[in-house]
Amino acid sequence: MNHKETVGNLRSRIPFFGRIYRKNLKLRTAKSRAISARKKVAKLKAEALRRAERAILRSRKAEEKLEEVIFHIELTREDLVKAKREARLSQEERRRLEIDLSVMRSSMDALSAKRDKALAEAEQLAIELREAKEELSRLDGERTGHLTQLGELRANLAAEADLAEQLAIELREAKEELSRLDGERTGHLTQLGELRANLAAEADLRNATDRKNALLEKNIARLVRLNGAVKARSEVKDKNRQIALNRIKEYQAKLNTAPELSEPFREFLRHIKPKFVDGFSKNRFGGQADGGYVMIDDFDDVTHAISVGIGDEISWDESMAKLGLKLVQVDHTVPAPLLPSAEVNFFRQRLVADAPADGETTIETLLSELGQHDSLVLKIDIEGDEWGILAHLPRSLFTEFKQIVIEFHDLHKFSDPNWREIAVAAIENLSESHQCVHVHGNNFRPLVVIGGVSFPQVFEATFVIRESYKFKKSSEIFPILLDRPNNASKSDYYLGNLTF
């Protein structure tokens, strides 16, 4: 083959190199698209997986095209070698072809590097997308669990809210009715007071004229009618109170905390079921709020009143002093007696059950220091210490007291076995010699629900010595007219007839 034939063969291959150039152009276009896809992946993470898959697909296509180009280049290289061998190209033409081949190799190396880089980036994006998918799947699982719990909580809250709202409506209606009845009762009592005052004034002048006697008879008839109205209103009030109590008890049955303590708690409360004292009436002694107590109005042969725990409230002590009783005050928190009277014997000591230390005393010590005395009355308000004192007090000392008024505290601790043992011992020890005749809930503290039974956490109780009185079954509904709320800004606790 001569030189001219060789040149002719090379010229016939020019279209082939044009195809290689176009393929290189397509490869560059694919590279540009891959770069554009990577930028879009960075901006739109939400579509990262889809675009990464496209980038991988495009990279694979580019790789396939690149392999095809390499294949053709290898063919071209073989053809060039063959042409060199066959045509023994001139030095100048060989140099030109080698330069072209070097440029093509450089271009292919650059494309291979960019392809590897694109593949590495695509693989990294795929890893990140897989991790994002796994994190999203985990979060979806947690969210599903949280939504389930939230739905259950919402359902429970809705049910409790409906129940609480219904109870609040019923309680509000009951309170409104009780308030109205209390208002009517107050009005009737005011009228009764006025009529009693008129009757007292007219009684002194009933012998003066027949006209005054007629007026007296008229007032008596009116008093009888008013007493009947008050009695009727009281019956309505008792009925409404019983309805409210039943509704409250229904709600408490749902709360029924510590059901195993239902019977022990009821047995405990049966010791404070009041009875009626035959032949004697009740009266209120002390203030019209916290510090006043309802007692049996019988102080014959009583010489001393012992007040344990006085603080700054001494209205009961003043009432006892007005009855002519000698006062004994005991309180370790008060520096001096609050009643400037020679009849007050003040002890700045703490009352304990036994084994008194410095600054302490016992009931036995107090009685020994009184000297000669007849019957006594005792009032105790010592913020929870009363249980231990009553539990350990010898029963022979209980008989020294004709009446005992106690404010009992901390009934919410009844579920504690140790506390319950002391409390039961105290109430049984006291009930052995004394009968409960009155109970009143202290509304400064909340109600407690034990074994489905609701009762004030703090309550006041009056006991009288059994050997001095006769008792009958009481039908009283507590609180009675003589009772007053300890906290005047809140309604009094309704206890009903205290049947357990």
Side-chain angles (χ1 to χ4, degrees):
M1 183 179 294
N2 56 28
H3 177 71
K4 289 182 179 181
E5 289 177 347
T6 301
V7 172
N9 290 333
L10 289 173
R11 286 179 178 176
S12 64
R13 293 180 180 272
I14 289 174
F16 171 73
F17 288 108
R19 287 194 300 273
I20 292 175
Y21 173 75
R22 286 192 297 273
K23 289 179 180 180
N24 286 336
L25 182 61
K26 289 181 180 180
L27 188 59
R28 286 195 295 271
T29 302
K31 173 187 174 183
S32 176
R33 290 177 180 176
I35 293 172
S36 176
R38 188 172 69 250
K39 290 181 179 179
K40 289 180 180 180
V41 166
K43 293 179 180 179
L44 303 172
K45 289 185 177 180
E47 299 179 2
L49 180 61
R50 180 176 58 81
R51 295 185 179 181
E53 291 174 350
R54 287 183 180 180
I56 292 171
L57 182 60
R58 289 173 182 171
S59 297
R60 288 177 180 174
K61 289 181 180 179
E63 184 178 2
E64 292 174 358
K65 290 181 180 179
L66 184 60
E67 290 175 355
E68 184 179 356
V69 170
I70 292 171
F71 174 76
H72 288 296
I73 289 173
E74 293 295 329
L75 291 177
T76 303
R77 184 184 300 169
E78 290 176 3
D79 291 339
L80 285 174
V81 172
K82 184 176 180 181
K84 285 169 63 177
R85 289 176 180 175
E86 291 178 353
R88 295 179 182 177
L89 297 173
S90 63
Q91 189 69 24
E92 184 178 350
E93 289 178 347
R94 189 183 309 124
R95 189 181 300 111
R96 182 176 59 80
L97 290 173
E98 288 178 354
I99 291 171
D100 292 340
L101 184 60
S102 177
V103 171
M104 291 176 67
R105 285 176 176 174
S106 299
S107 299
M108 293 303 298
D109 292 340
L111 287 172
S112 296
K114 291 179 179 179
R115 180 201 64 183
D116 294 340
K117 184 177 180 181
L119 288 173
E121 291 177 351
E123 289 177 357
Q124 182 62 31
L125 286 173
I127 292 171
E128 293 177 356
L129 287 172
R130 281 197 301 272
E131 292 176 351
K133 280 184 175 181
E134 292 174 357
E135 182 65 18
L136 286 173
S137 177
R138 185 183 64 79
L139 291 176
D140 285 340
E142 292 181 356
R143 183 189 65 180
T144 302
H146 292 162
L147 288 175
T148 302
Q149 295 178 0
L150 182 60
E152 294 175 354
L153 288 174
R154 284 176 176 172
N156 293 337
L157 288 174
E160 292 179 0
D162 292 341
L163 182 61
E165 183 178 359
Q166 181 62 30
L167 181 60
I169 292 172
E170 294 177 355
L171 287 176
R172 185 164 58 252
E173 292 175 353
K175 286 182 179 179
E176 291 174 356
E177 180 64 18
L178 290 175
S179 177
R180 184 181 65 79
L181 292 174
D182 284 338
E184 293 180 358
R185 182 193 67 180
T186 302
H188 291 155
L189 290 176
T190 302
Q191 293 180 9
L192 283 173
E194 294 174 354
L195 289 173
R196 285 171 179 167
N198 292 336
L199 288 173
E202 290 170 2
D204 294 336
L205 301 175
R206 62 175 174 262
N207 295 325
T209 60
D210 293 337
R211 183 181 60 81
K212 291 184 178 180
N213 285 332
L215 181 61
L216 178 61
E217 292 177 358
K218 181 179 179 180
N219 285 333
I220 290 174
R222 185 182 177 189
L223 178 61
V224 170
R225 290 195 300 273
L226 286 175
N227 278 330
V230 169
K231 183 177 181 181
R233 292 293 184 184
S234 179
E235 291 175 353
V236 173
K237 178 180 177 181
D238 293 342
K239 182 179 178 180
N240 289 334
R241 281 180 170 176
Q242 188 62 42
I243 292 173
L245 178 63
N246 291 337
R247 290 175 178 173
I248 291 172
K249 286 183 176 180
E250 290 175 0
Y251 179 68
Q252 290 167 350
K254 298 176 181 179
L255 298 178
N256 198 11
T257 57
E260 71 280 1
L261 296 179
S262 176
E263 187 53 35
F265 189 54
R266 292 175 186 274
E267 182 63 29
F268 173 83
L269 294 178
R270 290 186 187 109
H271 287 287
I272 60 170
K273 165 67 175 174
K275 287 189 176 181
F276 178 77
V277 181
D278 191 16
F280 294 91
S281 60
K282 297 179 181 179
N283 204 348
R284 184 176 183 83
F285 299 91
Q288 295 301 307
D290 195 33
Y293 301 92
V294 175
M295 304 174 64
I296 298 300
D297 196 356
D298 176 28
F299 296 90
D300 292 343
D301 70 8
V302 176
T303 58
H304 292 74
I306 301 177
S307 179
V308 184
I310 57 176
D312 58 356
E313 168 51 53
I314 58 171
S315 60
W316 183 84
D317 305 58
E318 291 173 331
S319 295
M320 296 298 102
K322 289 179 181 179
L323 294 175
L325 306 184
K326 296 180 181 180
L327 283 177
V328 178
Q329 293 181 329
V330 183
D331 196 322
H332 66 288
T333 66
V334 178
L338 300 180
L339 281 176
S341 171
E343 296 298 320
V344 176
N345 193 2
F346 177 76
F347 295 90
R348 189 181 181 184
Q349 294 176 308
R350 179 181 180 180
L351 189 66
V352 296
D354 52 21
D358 291 339
E360 296 178 343
T361 188
T362 63
I363 289 181
E364 186 174 5
T365 302
L366 290 174
L367 295 180
S368 65
E369 294 184 4
L370 287 181
Q372 186 65 30
H373 61 272
D374 291 334
S375 294
L376 310 171
V377 292
L378 173 65
K379 185 269 293 182
I380 298 179
D381 181 4
I382 49 178
E383 306 302 320
D385 288 345
E386 65 276 0
W387 299 106
I389 292 172
L390 295 175
H392 296 93
L393 187 67
R395 293 186 178 179
S396 60
L397 294 182
F398 277 111
T399 58
E400 296 281 344
F401 302 100
K402 194 171 186 178
Q403 295 193 58
I404 300 176
V405 181
I406 305 177
E407 183 169 84
F408 292 98
H409 300 79
D410 304 329
L411 203 58
H412 63 286
K413 298 179 181 179
F414 193 85
S415 58
D416 181 350
N418 295 328
W419 188 93
R420 183 167 66 251
E421 181 180 1
I422 296 174
V424 170
I427 206 72
E428 289 179 349
N429 200 21
L430 175 59
S431 300
E432 185 72 17
S433 58
H434 286 69
Q435 170 64 46
C436 182
V437 295
H438 189 79
V439 176
H440 176 253
N442 187 329
N443 63 347
F444 271 111
R445 302 298 296 169
L447 294 171
V448 295
V449 180
I450 300 173
V453 180
S454 175
F455 205 75
Q457 180 176 317
V458 177
F459 63 98
E460 304 155 350
T462 302
F463 294 81
V464 298
I465 192 165
R466 294 180 183 274
E467 64 185 25
S468 298
Y469 299 98
K470 294 181 179 179
F471 303 98
K472 295 181 179 178
K473 184 178 180 180
S474 174
S475 60
E476 290 179 298
I477 301 297
F478 297 89
I480 65 174
L481 295 178
L482 292 173
D483 284 314
R484 298 291 183 272
N486 296 73
N487 184 353
S489 63
K490 295 171 60 178
S491 299
D492 220 342
Y493 285 139
Y494 177 71
L495 305 180
N497 61 3
L498 292 171
T499 299
F500 303 100

